[in-house]
Amino acid sequence: MSLALKALFKQPLAARVATRTPRALVSAVRYNSTATGETITVREALNQAIEEEMERDETVWLLGEEVAQYNGAYKVSKGLLDKFGPKRVVDTPITEMGFAGLAVGAAFHGTKPICEFMTFNFAMQAIDQIINSGAKTHYMSGAFAKCPIVFRGPNGAAAGVAAQHSQDYASWYGQIPGLKVVSPYDAEDAKGLMKAAIRDPNPVVVLENELMYGVSFPSTSEIASKDFVAPLGKAKIAREGTDITIATYSRPVGFALEAAELLAKEGISAEVINLRSIRPLDLDAIIKSIKKTNHLMTVEQGFPQFGMGSEISAQIMESEAFDYLDAPVCRVTGADVPMPYAQNLEALALPDTEVIYKQAKRVLNIE
Amino acid sequence: MASAASGDTVTFDLGDSAFEGYNIDVPSTSVTMGREEALGMYRAMQEVRRLEMAADSSYKHKLIRGFCHLCTGQEAVPVGVERALTAEDAVITAYRCHGFTYMRGASAMGILAELMGRGAGVSKGKGGSMHMYAPNFYGGNGIVGAQVPLGAGIAFAQKYNGANACTVALYGDGAANQGQVFESYNMAKLWDLPVLFVCENNKYGMGTAASRAAANTDYYTRGQYIPGIRVNGMDVLAVRQAIAYGREYAISGKGPLVLEMKTYRYGGHSMSDPGTTYRTREEIQHMRSTSDPIMGYKHRLLENGVATEDDLKQIDKQAKKFIDEELAKAKAAPEPKSAELWDDVYVKGSGVPYLRGRVPEETHYY
């Protein structure tokens, strides 16, 4: 392991992600894109996406706690009130069930709301409106009512915020027919997926990550384009490889890429898939990769039971990819405990680069 | 209730007990309308009554499954509400929705077919009794209270798009205690949303009497900082007058109102509830004989010379015949095609590549 990377491991978790991205985290595969030499944070990418879509379509509006005058609890909506005014950027009371329902109703009747939850933990109060009113209505009404809404906000573990503020809801929302669910990793994902989500006529849940907001990535011509929309339902190969497939989403993509670097130094070539989309899941991308590598490991920070890894395992077993596996699919997940506060315990509850690196070797039966 | 029918218009006097105000003046109790319109409301109530009776009998003949909540006895509310609104106004209610669906423009055949799970149903057979829609009518909602924030949201969109319209968001005495109702009151008042919160108080939340569920059963005052009006919900003219009054208030930018319609259902909460374990048969009989909305309106029309006994009997016959015909059409309509299982999960043209069936081999590719 290089000295630089060793030093990286010694830094506390929060400090590590606050720094500039090491080269390892940069997507190794680019198609038709040119780096413009500048960088952009995930937060800026989300801000730009929302701003561009609000400019493009007058029926798009944003609501949530602190989105307007406070410029966003995490500053994702910075500057939007100044630009678009209070009609289109609306501060809500702290009443998730009420304002999520209000947003769904406004979506039924000719507007396109972006409904922010300060974190998805709070969205549990509103989940009936998201699922029963939002996701299912188009079907139940025989296509009468449409619900072009985006529910967005930080999802999953942050740093030191403990049990009630750390849950990953990807598998909960991923289960629901009628919803689309995406989870960006880098700035390109954030911009492209958010724009696509806002333009999509279905209800879309965008699961962001608080610890990724401040992370910089190289800006590309795609990101700079006002018409760049990432297709919902398509994964991205973040790093090509031949020995093992690591499928993951959101912040763990970064850890997987770091782990791949460590594995490469030992002659192991890992392919990292940034899923981007939870529902619909790009199973084809995973199958194609397994045909190459014969090994699959999934990584998520959410609870282990009934999670994303469980689902991918099951789908892979039911697919032609089963015949290509040289080992059972292995899931790397959060620990099955409510998130503890103490830093050392929190670290033991979440998979990081080292856990992924070690587990990949186990899957490959390498000491 | 003295008044006169002269030429094409008639003036009714609703009497002092029609309205009670909370921090607001009540509407005028003198109502003038065209004779045709007056008769039309009678016909409409009769058609809604007949529609619900057809649903009742179909359910007992096992043509309808699952939940079925009838508004028999409450007809004055859907009819009175509709007659005070324009097509651009919006309505949303909970699961006791057949009367509203009909008044908002769905066909009786479409409603009955939907109840029977036929492809010709208003929701293509995919929704059933609780999920019926019509132009600017957003259901038909199964989760108690959820429709209230939705209604506030529809009003938000109306205001956002500069529409000269309001939303009527209805809920029952049971739902009136839900937290999300108060969250809706708060946002509606804060942002002056053109929404009328209308509590259909039929005295029972399923089997629980209102007084056993609510610390304050004066539902028209529950909006606290929102003015309210209590209305005799068995009087179709009072309902219409109150909604018209409320509509003007809301559309003028003054924000929401809370209206309470005091009404009564003869049937149980749903077809699975006999409705007699928590109230007496005497009470039901008493309401039928003294407060029936159709009978009460009939007396009004006769007294004011708007129609004769025979005129109204004719309308009764026509309504029955009409609904019988619609029922026959609905019974003859086929079930949805199997392939329709996969339709409309997402908006057409923006769906997903495939959805899994019961087994991998039943996966549906779009």
Side-chain angles (χ1 to χ4, degrees), chain A residues 284 287 291 315-325:
Chain A
D284 282 346
I287 293 174
K291 285 181 174 174
Q315 288 199 32
I316 289 300
M317 283 216 290
E318 287 175 354
S319 77
E320 48 172 342
F322 176 73
D323 294 323
Y324 290 79
L325 286 173

Side-chain angles (χ1 to χ4, degrees), chain B residues 250-305:
Chain B
I251 287 179
S252 71
K254 297 200 192 84
L257 287 179
V258 176
L259 304 179
E260 177 188 340
M261 304 289 171
K262 291 203 69 113
T263 183
Y264 195 85
R265 53 166 162 84
Y266 302 146
H269 164 71
S270 71
M271 292 304 297
S272 344
D273 170 32
T276 49
T277 57
Y278 48 87
R279 50 185 195 171
T280 63
R281 286 179 208 277
E282 287 73 40
E283 178 188 292
I284 304 170
Q285 224 0 79
H286 176 77
M287 292 302 287
R288 262 198 199 268
S289 47
T290 63
S291 309
D292 186 83
I294 298 174
M295 285 288 109
Y297 192 52
K298 178 174 175 177
H299 290 316
R300 269 239 174 84
L301 294 174
L302 293 174
E303 271 169 21
N304 293 301

Side-chain angles (χ1 to χ4, degrees), chain B residues 42-318:
Chain B
Y42 180 84
R43 182 187 297 278
M45 283 199 289
Q46 219 22 309
E47 285 173 353
V48 171
R49 174 68 62 92
R50 285 280 155 194
L51 176 68
E52 295 292 71
M53 286 168 70
D56 181 291
S57 110
S58 300
Y59 194 94
K60 287 168 175 154
H61 283 96
K62 302 209 186 305
L63 291 170
I64 300 175
R65 303 158 56 235
F67 296 125
C68 188
H69 309 82
L70 303 179
C71 67
T72 325
Q74 301 186 201
E75 296 87 355
V77 181
V79 174
V81 163
E82 184 61 33
R83 288 291 174 252
L85 298 178
T86 69
E88 218 197 332
D89 299 307
V91 177
I92 189 169
T93 186
Y95 44 76
R96 201 174 303 281
C97 62
H98 311 157
F100 291 98
T101 315
Y102 182 65
M103 292 310 297
R104 282 260 96 187
S107 71
M109 184 267 191
I111 293 170
L112 290 164
E114 185 61 34
L115 289 171
M116 296 186 218
R118 309 297 168 93
V122 290
S123 300
K124 302 185 191 164
K126 305 276 269 294
S129 169
M130 297 185 291
H131 308 114
M132 297 195 183
Y133 300 77
N136 279 340
F137 174 62
Y138 292 94
N141 289 276
I143 307 298
V144 170
Q147 75 278 14
V148 181
L150 293 175
I154 296 164
F156 184 99
Q158 288 173 325
K159 184 172 179 184
Y160 187 97
N161 286 324
N164 192 41
C166 75
T167 299
V168 175
L170 299 117
Y171 54 97
D173 48 279
N177 302 310
Q178 278 250 323
Q180 58 187 320
V181 169
F182 295 88
E183 295 184 15
S184 306
Y185 287 167
N186 183 48
M187 287 184 286
K189 185 63 180 170
L190 210 49
W191 301 332
D192 289 324
L193 301 181
V195 54
L196 300 179
F197 295 112
V198 179
C199 178
E200 270 183 293
N201 175 10
N202 62 14
K203 299 173 66 175
Y204 299 91
M206 198 158 131
T208 302
S211 56
R212 288 207 304 129
N216 173 5
T217 53
D218 292 328
Y219 299 99
Y220 70 116
T221 69
R222 297 286 290 274
Q224 190 193 338
Y225 40 79
I226 301 177
I229 305 172
R230 171 181 270 158
V231 182
N232 176 3
M234 302 305 257
D235 177 351
V236 67
L237 295 176
V239 174
R240 177 182 173 277
Q241 183 75 333
I243 297 286
Y245 181 79
R247 179 177 181 275
E248 217 184 282
Y249 181 97
I251 287 179
S252 71
K254 297 200 192 84
L257 287 179
V258 176
L259 304 179
E260 177 188 340
M261 304 289 171
K262 291 203 69 113
T263 183
Y264 195 85
R265 53 166 162 84
Y266 302 146
H269 164 71
S270 71
M271 292 304 297
S272 344
D273 170 32
T276 49
T277 57
Y278 48 87
R279 50 185 195 171
T280 63
R281 286 179 208 277
E282 287 73 40
E283 178 188 292
I284 304 170
Q285 224 0 79
H286 176 77
M287 292 302 287
R288 262 198 199 268
S289 47
T290 63
S291 309
D292 186 83
I294 298 174
M295 285 288 109
Y297 192 52
K298 178 174 175 177
H299 290 316
R300 269 239 174 84
L301 294 174
L302 293 174
E303 271 169 21
N304 293 301
V306 180
T308 65
E309 184 86 46
D310 277 343
D311 290 336
L312 298 179
K313 280 217 169 82
Q314 267 287 86
I315 294 177
D316 293 346
K317 269 204 190 124
Q318 285 164 0

Side-chain angles (χ1 to χ4, degrees), chain A residues 108-253:
Chain A
F108 286 163
H109 200 68
T111 69
K112 297 201 179 93
I114 302 170
C115 178
E116 175 180 302
F117 294 112
M118 201 180 281
T119 77
F120 269 95
N121 300 285
F122 314 141
M124 285 202 288
Q125 300 205 318
I127 204 163
D128 174 66
Q129 294 289 4
I130 299 170
I131 294 176
N132 278 326
S133 306
K136 298 179 184 170
T137 296
H138 192 65
Y139 188 83
M140 291 191 303
S141 68
F144 171 85
K146 288 197 188 102
C147 188
I149 192 170
V150 172
F151 295 106
R152 55 158 292 270
N155 172 64
V161 293
Q164 293 178 340
H165 289 71
S166 303
Q167 195 166 329
D168 181 334
Y169 294 90
S171 64
W172 283 30
Y173 293 117
Q175 208 187 56
I176 310 301
L179 279 185
K180 290 187 185 177
V181 183
V182 296
S183 193
Y185 159 61
D186 59 17
E188 189 181 289
D189 293 345
K191 183 127 196 249
L193 293 175
M194 182 60 71
K195 284 169 76 80
I198 295 169
R199 295 187 192 189
D200 197 297
N202 299 286
V204 183
V205 173
V206 181
L207 302 172
E208 302 158 11
N209 186 292
E210 191 220 311
L211 296 177
M212 292 304 294
Y213 283 152
V215 181
S216 294
F217 292 91
S219 184
T220 63
S221 57
E222 277 92 11
I223 296 178
S225 158
K226 290 199 171 167
D227 286 310
F228 166 58
V229 166
L232 302 186
K234 284 273 169 269
K236 185 162 145 199
I237 307 297
R239 181 189 175 115
E240 276 187 3
T242 53
D243 295 330
I244 181 170
T245 302
I246 304 176
T248 182
Y249 65 93
S250 189
R251 186 154 171 259
V253 173

Side-chain angles (χ1 to χ4, degrees), chain A residues 270-302:
Chain A
E271 177 148 290
V272 178
I273 301 182
N274 171 5
L275 290 170
R276 283 179 154 184
S277 190
I278 308 294
R279 173 183 266 268
L281 191 66
D282 191 352
L283 195 72
D284 282 346
I286 305 175
I287 293 174
K288 191 168 165 203
S289 181
I290 290 175
K291 285 181 174 174
K292 226 184 355 170
T293 67
N294 310 115
H295 297 84
L296 175 64
M297 193 169 80
T298 64
V299 182
E300 67 202 281
Q301 292 200 307

